[in-house]
Amino acid sequence: MKLRKISYLAMVVVLVLSIFTGCASGAKQGDNASAAPAAGNDYPKQPVTIVVPYAAGGGADLMARALSTTLQKELGQPFIVSNKPGGSGAIGMAEVARSKEDGYTLILTSVGAATITPNNSDVGYTNKEFAPIAQVADIPLMLAVKADSPFKTVQEVFDYAEKNPGKLTYGTAGAGLIQNVSMEGLLMEMNKRGLFTHVPFNGGAEAVSALMGGQTDFAIAIATEIIPQMKSGQFRALAVSTAERYTETPDVPTFKESGYNYEVGVWYGFAAKAGTPDAVLQKLEGAFQKSLQDPEVIETFKKINQPIAFMDSKSFTEKWMSSFEKFKAVVAELNK
Amino acid sequence: MKKVGINSVVGFLFIALSLLWMTQIVKLPKAMAFAGFGAGFFPQLVVILMMIVSVLLIVTDLRDKNKSTTFVIAKENILKLILIVLLAAAYIFILPIAGYVISTIAAVFLLLLLFGLRKKVTIVLTSVLFPLAIYYLFEVALKVLLP
Amino acid sequence: MFELVDVLSLSNILFNLAGVVIGIIFGAIPGLTATMGVALFLPFTFGMDPVASFALLLGIYVGGIYGGSITAILIKTPGTPSSAATVLDGYPLAEQGKAMESLSMATIASFIGGILSCVALILLSPQLAKIALSFGPAEYFAVGLFGLSIVAALSSGNLLKGLLSALFGLLIATVGMDPVTGAMRFTFGNINLTGGIDFVSALIGMFAVSEVFSKLETINADTGMSGLKGVKGKIVGAKILASNTVNFLRSSIIGTIIGIIPATGSGVASWLAYNEAKRASKHPEQFGKGAFEGVAASEAANNAVTGGALVPLLTLGIPGDVVTAVMLGALMIQGLTPGPLLFTENRGVVTGIYVMLILANIFMLLVGLLGINAFVKILKVPTNILMPIVLMLCFVGAYAINNRISDIGLALLMGIVGYLFNKVDIPVPPMLLGIILQPIIEANFRRAMTISHGDISTFVTRPISLVFILISVGSFFWPIISGYIKRRKNGSAVA
């Protein structure tokens, strides 16, 4: 009796399943058909998803949410932010790499997820799956020490390390992130690998906390993590990774000034799946450019400490692809 | 006659798991090992401890005269359990295709049947109202997007 | 005085209350956590003034940490990781028909923990901040080890199986990116595993999904009910509360300190407090079978984390846990720089934050106590309707954490594992502990060794680290030794 009931149930399950899969595949084909003529001019005809490969509440998420409002104003369709955190951004990137080339799935990516992570491990994408649209923000890195540290200039740090190779430790937000890989890249370029000992933490806040507690000798961290501690007198920034002095901290010299070829930033930018029609990409590029001039967006970016740095699709693509190749070499050397 | 106890089976399963992990540990990059402790150090330690504990478990089990040798799940329950797992797996498979509301209505409906509910009105009401309520709670009130 | 009037404006109070209610909802639904609540409502605070924004966010924070206890007690499903230890005694109490007493105990304990940590925050912030800074990788490792030593106490009956469970947790937690080298480990070629085993999904699976499976077995098809006795309408008595005074205090202190130390959190705090309460108890054998002390310890500790976590955030600009990391963003959005300057330049905002945190705890107490009658109605729902709903809630929660469907699969898989563990008498809590502690133990061990340039003596030459390592060794072997002595006394030689 019981058994019969259950086998009956099993049949119902199978039946319902088959109906749904049938429906669903039908619906999917319908979608394809309607999307086909949308090669450009009538884009966007349906809501666009912005994949943010980081957790809700973080800098990237807040930027995406701020821009989604103005993008909707510009293009007339809702832009929906969808957080897909995990694997230093790799999970969200891999998802967009597998998406359709129709411009309805965009990603707000960052330098690490775009140019370092895929070189470090097989994460299911490289730089070839993406069509960069526009860079929106770029934050410099800083080398900071505790206020009571004997080091007053970046030169002194390097000089001390030359005499005591490997003795100085530097903390960063994590292994294989831009803070770490770019610094190791600089040391490789100078032919001085192992000059500093790297200590990877779990996020910038932990690296800052470790520096404050004197666990490490210096930190390489993004400017927004260092500046508050500078203002409160706990840290001293010795150098900033911009080409010219950073507007927020005019007193801090650049690495270039001290003779170190260290120009790098944590950039954020949008991309679609490679193969998305040019017309769509151009439309989006224009919308991003306009959005970044919107007073409300400017205000929000200022509040969340993300310096706006618009870069058009052409230069952004160049930057992305050349960084990718550069870090590929560095990571290969690091993993040797 | 010596029978194999449940605990021995458990021990062997954990040893198998350790071996599976071992096959992956040897593939980890040896480079970038900080002060000699690479990516494989900690997992290796855990795997070794796991094997030791498993062996100890097997040994105590073999020496134990009152060991339990039966693994009790009633026959009809095995079927029910397999069904609920299949149902859940199917739900995960269908979710991205059919969307949240439709797949959840179907799943709740079938789950209620599986749990032996017989009141038709309750089944239909629950399976329709609950997914809709969750959908609105998440999407509208809490701003959490669903598939 | 003027300050206080400004701070306690009607709109601020309402924001605070709304925050607490939203928080409780987030906390109670498995998978939705306080962190998510704060993160999702952060954009709403852009236009608000600082105090109003913190009224809302702190409300969500406090409510969210508390809310997890409701479902933990009523349906054996910890709504948030911080309430996992509450399940151990809260649910057995509910099974004995003491759901109301158990819930009110959780509410009152949460309130006491929250308020005591507020007091610590207000009076001792600058001194306490020093504790946060004295914790380096070596100390974190030692604390992690201390946490792991609880395994012996959690493995009722069979230590070997408890160890296996903990090792299993430690092992699966290594899946994903290695925190020290960035190499991918044990992903078996699956992209979704590069992010690691999501802790909350695993928790939902181990506790809640496995419970659905067991219920499917035990359910009585005719009545649709299973086991749970009727609910008697009374809240916990003054006598029980009074007998827990020391427990409240101890657990609140543990919670506050764990909150202050960055990179740990309420999940760790509740387990540590639970273990200490069990060790100090006159009836340790009651733990796990329905001891009010267990519920009190776990809940007082996890809510005490709130005040503690704000200490390093406000005084140093360093978040004490994941939620306060999002709040750091909230402060910066308001143009405020956390750190010593905040106390001199924005005294008003700091006062506002203190007041709102206290108020949030009061609202939590009120909403919690008034809500108990409504909460226990869940128990009136026949199990054969409740369980399908719980399963679907688990799945939607698992999905919502990372918007990943694969996490539902993880919850299902861990549900099967949890179910099988129960069947062969392997305790599940040690596995959870293993998953929580793996990142703390492994990464900090390797970091400490890097900083000390390979000198292992760093763990014993640093005083805090040494103390914790000694306590861990003691606390691991104590239950084994005391158990052995007891058995010797009873003259039975069964292992």
Side-chain angles (χ1 to χ4, degrees):
Chain A
M1 181 61 206
K2 267 262 157 67
L3 219 70
R4 256 181 60 196
K5 261 187 198 166
I6 287 163
S7 50
Y8 163 76
L9 253 182
M11 259 175 58
V12 175
V13 173
V14 172
L15 204 78
V16 174
L17 286 192
S18 51
I19 291 170
F20 274 121
T21 34
C23 284
S25 53
K28 234 182 178 172
Q29 279 165 9
D31 267 5
N32 272 342
S34 67
N41 290 333
D42 52 349
Y43 175 89
K45 290 199 313 184
Q46 64 192 64
V48 180
T49 305
I50 298 177
V51 175
V52 173
Y54 305 100
D61 177 58
L62 296 176
M63 278 192 269
R65 285 177 200 273
L67 285 169
S68 66
T69 320
T70 46
L71 287 171
Q72 177 167 3
K73 257 190 270 169
E74 290 295 326
L75 297 173
Q77 284 284 348
F79 280 69
I80 300 152
V81 175
S82 167
N83 301 86
K84 305 267 173 175
S88 292
I91 291 179
M93 288 290 278
E95 182 174 308
V96 175
R98 289 190 306 254
S99 71
K100 273 188 251 162
E101 300 99 348
D102 56 8
Y104 287 101
T105 312
L106 308 179
I107 186 148
L108 172 54
T109 185
S110 176
V111 59
T115 68
I116 300 176
T117 316
N119 282 320
N120 222 342
S121 331
D122 177 13
V123 282
Y125 67 92
T126 63
N127 57 345
K128 301 203 170 59
E129 288 83 354
F130 299 95
I133 301 167
Q135 174 185 290
V136 294
D138 193 2
I139 319 166
L141 296 179
M142 280 181 161
L143 187 156
V145 294
K146 248 182 113 175
D148 60 10
S149 158
F151 301 119
K152 306 276 188 241
T153 65
V154 67
Q155 184 79 49
E156 284 173 25
V157 176
F158 276 85
D159 286 350
Y160 179 87
E162 299 259 349
K163 288 183 205 116
N164 309 279
K167 190 156 177 251
L168 292 183
T169 54
Y170 75 101
T172 70
L177 300 186
I178 182 80
Q179 291 89 327
N180 164 220
V181 175
S182 62
M183 179 43 78
E184 295 299 326
L186 172 69
L187 295 179
M188 272 173 211
E189 215 178 276
M190 297 166 65
N191 226 344
K192 281 177 185 148
R193 272 198 72 184
L195 196 62
F196 307 126
T197 301
H198 175 231
V199 186
F201 287 89
N202 183 17
E206 276 187 32
V208 165
S209 155
L211 179 62
M212 211 182 277
Q215 319 287 349
T216 52
D217 295 304
F218 64 94
I220 302 285
I222 55 174
T224 40
E225 286 162 351
I226 299 294
I227 292 174
Q229 310 295 350
M230 269 172 74
K231 282 189 192 156
S232 64
Q234 311 198 65
F235 285 179
R236 183 165 57 237
L238 301 186
V240 61
S241 69
T242 40
E244 306 291 326
R245 287 201 177 192
Y246 186 42
T247 45
E248 303 275 320
T249 55
D251 296 336
V252 179
T254 63
F255 277 92
K256 283 255 162 79
E257 283 174 55
S258 313
Y260 299 98
N261 181 25
Y262 190 62
E263 194 190 321
V264 60
V266 177
W267 52 253
Y268 290 90
F270 284 84
K273 173 84 191 281
T276 303
D278 280 340
V280 172
L281 293 176
Q282 276 162 22
K283 212 164 180 174
L284 282 166
E285 183 185 341
F288 278 113
Q289 186 167 15
K290 266 197 183 155
S291 295
L292 288 172
Q293 288 155 1
D294 183 280
E296 244 173 73
V297 169
I298 294 176
E299 177 73 16
T300 310
F301 271 58
K302 205 177 160 181
K303 275 181 169 174
I304 59 176
N305 283 312
Q306 303 286 355
I308 291 181
F310 174 79
M311 194 182 259
D312 64 23
S313 148
K314 193 163 166 277
S315 343
F316 182 42
T317 309
E318 245 162 55
K319 183 175 182 175
W320 181 330
M321 301 307 148
S322 69
S323 303
F324 186 91
E325 293 307 325
K326 185 183 155 197
F327 291 132
K328 189 178 189 170
V330 175
V331 168
E333 183 67 31
L334 273 178
N335 284 336
K336 224 183 243 170
Chain B
M1 198 183 113
K2 247 188 177 177
K3 273 188 183 170
V4 180
I6 282 292
N7 284 357
S8 299
V9 178
V10 170
F12 281 117
L13 283 176
F14 274 101
I15 290 178
L17 180 76
S18 315
L19 291 176
L20 173 69
W21 236 252
M22 221 46 191
T23 61
Q24 299 296 308
I25 291 174
V26 294
K27 280 193 231 156
L28 287 172
K30 294 278 175 297
M32 275 171 93
F34 288 75
F37 298 103
F41 166 70
F42 182 81
Q44 210 158 2
L45 188 73
V46 175
V47 161
I48 291 169
L49 285 175
M50 193 180 253
M51 286 192 191
I52 294 173
V53 177
S54 304
V55 169
L56 286 176
L57 188 68
I58 294 171
V59 171
T60 39
D61 184 62
L62 290 178
R63 289 170 56 189
D64 187 355
K65 292 188 186 89
N66 310 323
K67 66 195 165 199
S68 67
T69 50
T70 42
F71 179 74
V72 193
I73 303 179
K75 252 187 200 158
E76 53 186 70
N77 285 338
I78 292 186
L79 250 172
K80 276 206 243 171
L81 286 167
I82 292 175
L83 271 183
I84 196 172
V85 171
L86 282 182
L87 186 69
Y91 176 71
I92 294 167
F93 177 72
I94 287 177
L95 197 55
I97 308 169
Y100 183 76
V101 176
I102 293 177
S103 11
T104 310
I105 289 177
V108 175
F109 181 78
L110 295 172
L111 280 170
L112 287 170
L113 288 180
L114 189 61
F115 269 87
L117 194 70
R118 290 288 168 266
K119 293 175 206 147
K120 287 190 184 99
V121 183
T122 325
I123 295 180
V124 172
L125 276 182
T126 314
S127 53
V128 172
L129 290 183
F130 169 75
L132 286 176
I134 288 294
Y135 187 78
Y136 279 98
L137 177 70
F138 275 67
E139 291 254 335
V140 182
L142 303 180
K143 319 277 171 211
V144 179
L145 296 183
L146 296 176
Chain C
M1 204 54 220
F2 281 113
E3 254 177 13
L4 209 59
V5 177
D6 279 350
V7 166
L8 283 174
S9 70
L10 183 65
S11 65
N12 285 354
I13 294 174
L14 287 178
F15 276 132
N16 198 240
L17 178 60
V20 171
V21 173
I22 294 169
I24 293 179
I25 296 173
F26 265 89
I29 297 177
L32 296 188
T33 59
T35 319
M36 263 177 81
V38 172
L40 289 169
F41 279 85
L42 177 63
F44 288 86
T45 66
F46 284 179
M48 300 182 187
D49 73 78
V51 177
S53 112
F54 271 84
L56 181 71
L57 298 178
L58 289 171
I60 298 177
Y61 186 19
V62 171
I65 302 271
Y66 159 71
S69 67
I70 300 170
T71 31
I73 291 169
L74 293 179
I75 47 180
K76 207 183 175 182
T77 303
T80 58
S82 49
S83 289
T86 310
V87 173
L88 299 193
D89 286 288
Y91 185 69
L93 280 169
E95 279 183 320
Q96 296 158 21
K98 294 179 186 160
M100 283 193 125
E101 285 172 273
S102 179
L103 274 176
S104 52
M105 173 55 106
T107 312
I108 293 165
S110 296
F111 173 73
I112 294 174
I115 288 292
L116 286 181
S117 75
C118 286
V119 173
L121 167 71
I122 295 167
L123 298 180
L124 298 169
S125 267
Q127 290 84 344
L128 290 174
K130 292 203 183 81
I131 301 184
L133 288 184
S134 61
F135 267 73
E139 285 77 15
Y140 282 124
F141 168 74
V143 169
L145 213 57
F146 177 45
L148 208 54
S149 70
I150 297 174
V151 167
L154 287 177
S155 327
S156 48
N158 194 331
L159 180 68
L160 288 177
K161 285 182 177 173
L163 281 175
L164 274 182
S165 177
L167 289 167
F168 181 72
L170 288 172
L171 200 61
I172 59 170
T174 58
V175 171
M177 195 181 276
D178 170 24
V180 180
T181 61
M184 289 297 173
R185 301 191 291 189
F186 317 111
T187 57
F188 300 95
N190 186 335
I191 293 295
N192 289 311
L193 287 179
T194 56
I197 298 284
D198 184 85
F199 166 55
V200 182
S201 305
L203 170 86
I204 292 171
M206 284 184 294
F207 280 90
V209 177
S210 69
E211 178 66 11
V212 173
F213 293 164
S214 326
K215 279 276 154 59
L216 183 62
E217 256 186 299
T218 58
I219 198 161
N220 180 331
D222 299 324
T223 59
M225 303 299 282
S226 72
L228 276 192
K229 284 187 190 148
V231 183
K232 278 170 235 143
K234 63 174 187 193
I235 68 165
V236 66
K239 224 179 189 174
I240 300 177
L241 284 178
S243 70
N244 271 297
T245 315
V246 181
N247 186 10
F248 284 139
L249 219 80
R250 181 183 46 237
S251 308
S252 303
I253 293 172
I254 293 175
T256 308
I257 292 177
I258 293 293
I260 291 169
I261 308 170
T264 45
S266 44
V268 179
S270 52
W271 286 110
L272 288 180
Y274 182 85
N275 187 43
E276 292 311 307
K278 183 175 180 182
R279 205 166 17 182
S281 170
K282 290 190 197 95
H283 312 283
E285 73 283 352
Q286 287 293 319
F287 277 69
K289 292 172 194 149
F292 282 109
E293 292 155 284
V295 175
S298 164
E299 285 303 309
N302 67 32
N303 266 73
V305 167
T306 53
L310 287 171
V311 169
L313 175 70
L314 296 178
T315 54
L316 304 169
I318 296 167
D321 65 3
V322 211
V323 188
T324 40
V326 183
M327 288 196 182
L328 178 65
L331 272 173
M332 306 223 297
I333 286 163
Q334 298 291 345
L336 300 169
T337 309
L341 283 182
L342 187 69
F343 288 80
T344 48
E345 286 178 2
N346 303 91
R347 190 66 229 179
V349 176
V350 175
T351 313
I353 289 176
Y354 290 166
V355 172
M356 285 306 147
L357 188 62
I358 294 175
L359 197 62
N361 276 291
I362 296 173
F363 277 138
M364 177 200 76
L365 181 72
L366 294 178
V367 175
L369 288 181
L370 293 175
I372 286 179
N373 276 317
F375 301 151
V376 292
K377 293 233 162 64
I378 295 179
L379 296 180
K380 299 231 166 88
V381 179
T383 310
N384 55 12
I385 298 178
L386 188 60
M387 284 301 130
I389 287 178
V390 168
L391 187 65
M392 286 298 119
L393 270 178
C394 289
F395 283 179
V396 74
Y399 171 80
I401 305 155
N402 294 315
N403 292 323
R404 274 211 297 267
I405 288 181
S406 66
D407 280 346
I408 306 179
L410 176 65
L412 176 62
L413 200 66
M414 294 309 287
I416 299 171
V417 169
Y419 173 81
L420 292 176
F421 272 28
N422 282 332
K423 277 279 157 189
V424 298
D425 283 324
I426 298 179
V428 173
M431 165 163 70
L432 179 65
L433 213 57
I435 301 180
I436 299 180
L437 294 173
Q438 184 275 335
I440 299 178
I441 293 176
E442 180 188 9
N444 284 304
F445 176 77
R446 289 159 71 195
R447 270 177 210 140
M449 290 302 280
T450 307
I451 290 175
S452 74
H453 301 284
D455 181 3
I456 197 152
S457 69
T458 181
F459 297 105
V460 289
T461 51
R462 299 176 61 118
I464 301 180
S465 160
L466 176 66
V467 169
F468 274 107
I469 286 180
L470 289 179
I471 306 177
S472 326
V473 174
S475 112
F476 179 79
F477 286 106
W478 176 242
I480 304 172
I481 296 166
S482 69
Y484 182 72
I485 295 170
K486 247 183 222 163
R487 274 201 298 276
R488 284 297 286 265
K489 270 185 188 160
N490 297 341
S492 100
V494 183

